[in-house]
Amino acid sequence: MRLTQIIEALLFASDAPLSAEDLSRVDERLDEDTVEAVIRELRAEYELSERSFQIYEVAGGFQLLTRPEFVSVLERYDSVPQPSRLSAPALEVLSIIAYRQPLGRAEVEDIRGVGSSGVLRTLVERELVAPVGRAEGLGRPLLYGTTRKFLEHFGFRSLDDLPRPEELPVVLRERPQPQQEADGAEGTDGTDGT
Amino acid sequence: MRLTQIIEALLFASDAPLSAEDLSRVDERLDEDTVEAVIRELRAEYELSERSFQIYEVAGGFQLLTRPEFVSVLERYDSVPQPSRLSAPALEVLSIIAYRQPLGRAEVEDIRGVGSSGVLRTLVERELVAPVGRAEGLGRPLLYGTTRKFLEHFGFRSLDDLPRPEELPVVLRERPQPQQEADGAEGTDGTDGT
Amino acid sequence: MKSPVEAVAEPHNPTANVDGAFVVELDRFQGPLDLLLHLIREQDIDIFDIPIGQITEQFLRAMSDVERLGLDRAGEFLEMAATLVRIKAQMLMPRRTDALGELEDPRAELVRRLLEYEHFREASLRLAEAQADRGRHYARGHVPPRTTSQPVVAELECTWDEVFAAALRVGERPKGPDDHVVAQRAVPIEEKIGLIVQTLAQLARVEFRRLVEPFGDKLHGVVTFMAGLELSKRRQLSMRQSEPFADIWLYRRDDVDPDEADVDGTGMDEADTEDADAPDADH
């Protein structure tokens, strides 16, 4: 059994991206570097044999996904699960959390000028954001951050793939932020672990 | 777009077996017989290139599944004791973050001399570290720190309890510096840093 | 009724320009800031010089059927309306001066909020693009469940001793040929001066090697050495070496042992450009 076959089998049988570290656990011959070399080899094989899928880097891991040119075929088939799209308010709340994390509900609402608890709750249920700690101060409100599912949903390799603030048309002056205490994920019951 | 590619993409992305009739509807060039010919062609390709998956007939339809001989690989992978222990790279990154927090991924990688995003993700998932803010400078990279769970797990009341003996490498003895040396930002001195 | 999160994001064009008057469908807006921003954009208004009377009037007109939105959302619009009316009144009064003696603009806070909101609006549009890009890739539709149970995240077994042992080894890694992937960046000498000063604030002396090893490349070594020379010139430390090719030590200046006094003013004994990699010289 070749290493390319083993890695391919794992990627093929997984419904989420697997990191090089995860993948290296399967065989003693593997470490993170060799996993990446194997993945390069697989990519070349798929390219050469014109497979309809390829290995993409998502959320700090690797995932087998169809190539974009097949969307026109796949979006017509009922048996193909279609990607969910988030509403404009959900995207707005997510972008605030993504750039300002960790932050609390009150800060999100301050920025948007509207109540956001419903949207926030749904985002937590969908595991796109999760509580990551508590702020200092009155009531020690929960602070939220984005999860790995968030990265997967947008196809980001990491948070570094977020559009940089200075690429956005309006660059706002930063408000002085209270230094947050690095405060464990208490009370999160590990929602983003899966 | 070749017919083999289209059929492959459909089999890959469908959540259930597809019959020859289902598949034939995707393209007017196809009927049930030609679908079966295309499937034979794909099977031969997978056989030749020793893919770890194959097309099987299931419940009157076709489905892409892992070949049986790789089931043991998956089982082995699943039974590898899921890291109840941290890998050596994870321990190293955790120690760097513990002593140097808050700091960004680029800085961790600078100190280690190797890419560290996968390891960092593991630690975030284990809730031992979490993003605690963002650095000034280009792209405002995330800064990581240890969590409350970190303190609890290792029995520290606060970060002041971390031992800092002389034999600690100098990079770790250095007190966290307010000025982030996030890549490319050197020399800017954050003139308008609030 | 779709849940607020599932609903498909669609570009909204909620106003129609009828005879120069804006007819606004209030419930198409996410909130008062969204509505304000829309009014400002639609009329090409300079956000730093908002004609507050005109905007207030348009905002109030748009709000005429606000009660349809329900109490909570209506309240948000009403609050903004009150703010606009207050700013409008303040514009008519003599301005106060701020701490710097500049005239305060009553609109300043509103402008800040609008800019901030617009920033995240733009960011959310980028997220929508990323979402659409990702939506063109499909994962496997059916991943059969494994026979073995899904991996459970086991209870963490890790002692502080392990972490600490790892800490002691930080910087020891032999640098492989692949290390050039880490972007080479300039190493400012000030950074190294800072490192040395900070280290010597805690330790009376330190081996040169220990300042450099964790960074592991030649450039850091050279710059750290230059930083050491600079500090010894400033008489903040002395650099010592017992014999050629031996380790170089940096001593805090006030701690220099007179017995091993450093005679020449350079603060450096046997100072040649050191090559730490040189073979042991029997000497």
Side-chain angles (χ1 to χ4, degrees):
Chain A
M1 223 174 265
R2 288 180 292 114
L3 286 173
T4 44
Q5 292 178 301
I6 292 174
I7 296 295
E8 180 184 72
L10 286 173
L11 292 176
F12 187 76
S14 170
D15 54 7
L18 296 174
S19 71
E21 202 197 353
D22 289 338
L23 290 166
S24 68
R25 293 208 319 270
V26 75
D27 194 291
E28 290 165 353
R29 288 171 286 175
L30 289 169
D31 61 28
E32 291 185 39
D33 290 341
T34 46
V35 165
E36 296 197 6
V38 167
I39 284 188
R40 278 195 297 275
E41 200 176 323
L42 279 171
R43 275 186 176 144
E45 284 182 23
Y46 298 158
E47 198 63 46
L48 207 67
S49 55
E50 297 185 306
R51 298 268 70 89
S52 59
F53 47 78
Q54 188 48 281
I55 299 173
Y56 292 90
E57 240 184 294
V58 184
F62 299 98
Q63 190 169 21
L64 271 178
L65 298 171
T66 59
R67 293 158 59 123
E69 56 263 40
F70 295 96
V71 65
S72 56
V73 173
L74 296 175
E75 69 187 356
R76 287 186 285 135
Y77 258 71
D78 291 337
S79 64
V80 173
Q82 297 300 320
S84 63
R85 302 233 162 162
L86 298 168
S87 68
L91 289 170
E92 210 174 275
V93 171
L94 267 181
S95 69
I96 293 169
I97 293 177
Y99 282 97
R100 287 279 173 88
Q101 61 188 316
L103 86 174
R105 177 173 58 79
E107 288 168 271
V108 173
E109 293 180 341
D110 264 3
I111 291 169
R112 299 184 67 218
V114 295
S116 304
S117 54
V119 178
L120 196 51
R121 190 167 50 240
T122 319
L123 291 174
V124 170
E125 275 162 18
R126 294 196 50 173
E127 296 176 11
L128 293 165
V129 306
V132 293
R134 286 179 182 276
E136 292 301 294
L138 204 65
R140 301 193 30 83
L142 280 177
L143 299 175
Y144 295 89
T146 54
T147 61
R148 175 164 145 204
K149 275 245 175 81
F150 166 84
L151 297 177
E152 286 178 32
H153 183 86
F154 293 100
F156 294 144
R157 281 165 304 180
S158 74
L159 284 173
D160 294 335
D161 280 353
L162 280 174
R164 295 183 163 192
E166 59 271 21
E167 288 168 12
L168 300 172
V170 181
V171 179
L172 59 136
R173 287 143 300 172
E174 201 55 49
R175 278 189 307 171
Q177 266 191 304
Q179 184 57 48
Q180 306 292 1
E181 178 197 349
D183 195 349
E186 81 180 59
T188 62
D189 43 63
T191 35
D192 79 337
T194 46
Chain B
M1 226 178 270
R2 289 181 293 114
L3 286 172
T4 44
Q5 291 180 300
I6 294 173
I7 298 295
E8 179 183 75
L10 275 171
L11 292 175
F12 181 89
S14 172
D15 62 2
L18 292 170
S19 67
E21 197 199 339
D22 291 332
L23 289 167
S24 68
R25 282 200 218 102
V26 76
D27 193 291
E28 6 177 85
R29 287 172 286 178
L30 287 170
D31 60 30
E32 292 185 36
D33 290 341
T34 46
V35 164
E36 302 217 357
V38 167
I39 290 205
R40 276 195 300 277
E41 199 178 325
L42 278 172
R43 275 186 174 145
E45 280 183 29
Y46 298 156
E47 197 61 42
L48 202 69
S49 54
E50 298 185 301
R51 299 268 68 93
S52 59
F53 48 81
Q54 189 49 282
I55 299 172
Y56 295 94
E57 264 189 272
V58 182
F62 297 100
Q63 194 162 27
L64 262 182
L65 293 169
T66 311
R67 286 161 52 153
E69 59 264 46
F70 289 94
V71 170
S72 63
V73 172
L74 301 181
E75 278 171 3
R76 177 155 31 108
Y77 177 76
D78 288 343
S79 62
V80 171
Q82 178 74 343
S84 61
R85 316 194 68 85
L86 297 175
S87 67
L91 286 169
E92 188 184 19
V93 172
L94 183 59
S95 74
I96 291 170
I97 293 175
Y99 281 106
R100 283 291 295 264
Q101 60 187 309
L103 83 173
R105 181 181 50 77
E107 215 183 334
V108 172
E109 292 177 346
D110 232 21
I111 292 171
R112 296 186 65 215
V114 291
S116 305
S117 54
V119 181
L120 204 47
R121 196 186 82 180
T122 310
L123 293 173
V124 170
E125 274 168 19
R126 290 217 157 258
E127 296 174 2
L128 292 169
V129 310
V132 294
R134 284 176 177 277
E136 292 300 309
L138 211 61
R140 300 191 33 74
L142 281 178
L143 299 176
Y144 294 87
T146 53
T147 61
R148 168 170 299 181
K149 185 162 171 188
F150 168 88
L151 293 178
E152 283 169 2
H153 185 88
F154 296 112
F156 294 122
R157 274 162 309 164
S158 79
L159 290 173
D160 297 334
D161 286 356
L162 293 190
R164 288 174 189 273
E166 254 196 57
E167 67 261 33
L168 211 54
V170 169
V171 261
L172 299 189
R173 290 183 58 90
E174 241 183 300
R175 276 296 179 174
Q177 285 182 294
Q179 157 95 39
Q180 269 312 311
E181 49 177 47
D183 39 347
E186 70 260 5
T188 61
D189 268 337
T191 31
D192 68 338
T194 40
Chain C
M1 181 83 186
K2 289 173 174 172
S3 91
V5 173
E6 293 294 347
V8 172
E10 33 187 288
H12 62 208
N13 179 24
T15 55
N17 198 335
V18 182
D19 297 334
F22 283 98
V23 180
V24 174
E25 289 172 58
L26 202 54
D27 51 6
R28 300 291 299 270
F29 291 97
Q30 293 196 34
L33 286 171
D34 197 9
L35 171 57
L36 267 184
L37 212 51
H38 176 78
L39 292 172
I40 287 166
R41 278 179 170 173
E42 202 76 346
Q43 301 171 88
D44 259 336
I45 288 171
D46 174 6
I47 196 160
F48 293 105
D49 190 18
I50 300 171
I52 205 81
Q54 174 192 337
I55 286 289
T56 304
E57 190 190 323
Q58 288 170 345
F59 189 88
L60 290 173
R61 199 173 335 129
M63 272 182 57
S64 57
D65 59 348
V66 72
E67 62 276 9
R68 284 198 307 119
L69 295 179
L71 207 59
D72 285 348
R73 294 198 59 199
E76 293 160 356
F77 281 91
L78 286 167
E79 201 182 312
M80 178 59 75
T83 303
L84 289 172
V85 170
R86 181 174 48 76
I87 294 172
K88 191 177 154 192
Q90 283 171 346
M91 295 293 284
L92 301 172
M93 294 195 286
R95 306 261 181 105
R96 288 181 305 192
T97 53
D98 65 15
L100 296 172
E102 305 236 346
L103 284 180
E104 270 183 3
D105 189 331
R107 298 168 296 186
E109 170 61 12
L110 181 66
V111 170
R112 187 199 65 74
R113 288 189 66 192
L114 281 168
L115 286 174
E116 182 178 54
Y117 178 69
E118 186 178 29
H119 175 76
F120 286 112
R121 275 286 302 262
E122 290 297 332
S124 73
L125 296 180
R126 299 300 188 90
L127 285 187
E129 285 169 21
Q131 176 178 251
D133 285 347
R134 173 63 184 80
R136 292 161 66 222
H137 297 279
Y138 290 73
R140 248 185 108 198
H142 170 66
V143 176
R146 308 271 180 87
T147 46
T148 44
S149 55
Q150 283 298 303
V152 191
V153 177
E155 190 63 24
L156 181 65
E157 276 176 49
C158 178
T159 62
W160 173 250
D161 288 347
E162 289 174 87
V163 181
F164 188 68
L168 295 180
R169 286 191 303 269
V170 165
E172 271 181 6
R173 172 192 319 280
K175 300 289 167 171
D178 276 340
D179 284 341
H180 63 268
V181 293
V182 177
Q184 186 69 261
R185 62 187 189 89
V187 181
I189 191 166
E190 293 74 26
E191 190 180 306
K192 293 305 177 190
I193 289 180
L195 173 66
I196 296 173
V197 169
Q198 278 182 337
T199 307
L200 289 183
Q202 295 171 50
L203 304 175
R205 57 174 204 171
V206 63
E207 260 174 296
F208 179 75
R209 188 166 55 80
R210 289 184 56 201
L211 291 165
V212 175
E213 258 175 8
F215 298 98
D217 73 52
K218 249 200 176 110
L219 184 60
H220 280 272
V222 171
V223 177
T224 308
F225 192 75
M226 283 161 56
L229 286 178
E230 175 62 29
L231 284 168
S232 78
K233 215 160 65 188
R234 296 187 202 163
R235 306 197 146 263
Q236 290 179 18
L237 60 74
S238 47
M239 288 165 83
R240 304 269 199 76
Q241 192 181 29
S242 55
E243 55 183 280
F245 311 120
D247 286 329
I248 302 172
W249 286 81
L250 309 185
Y251 284 76
R252 198 193 292 158
R253 189 67 179 190
D254 51 47
D255 272 7
V256 177
D257 183 345
D259 291 339
E260 302 172 50
D262 162 32
V263 277
D264 59 5
T266 66
M268 184 70 194
D269 298 339
E270 317 268 5
D272 274 324
T273 26
E274 303 310 333
D275 182 0
D277 295 325
D280 277 345
D282 248 336
H283 176 79

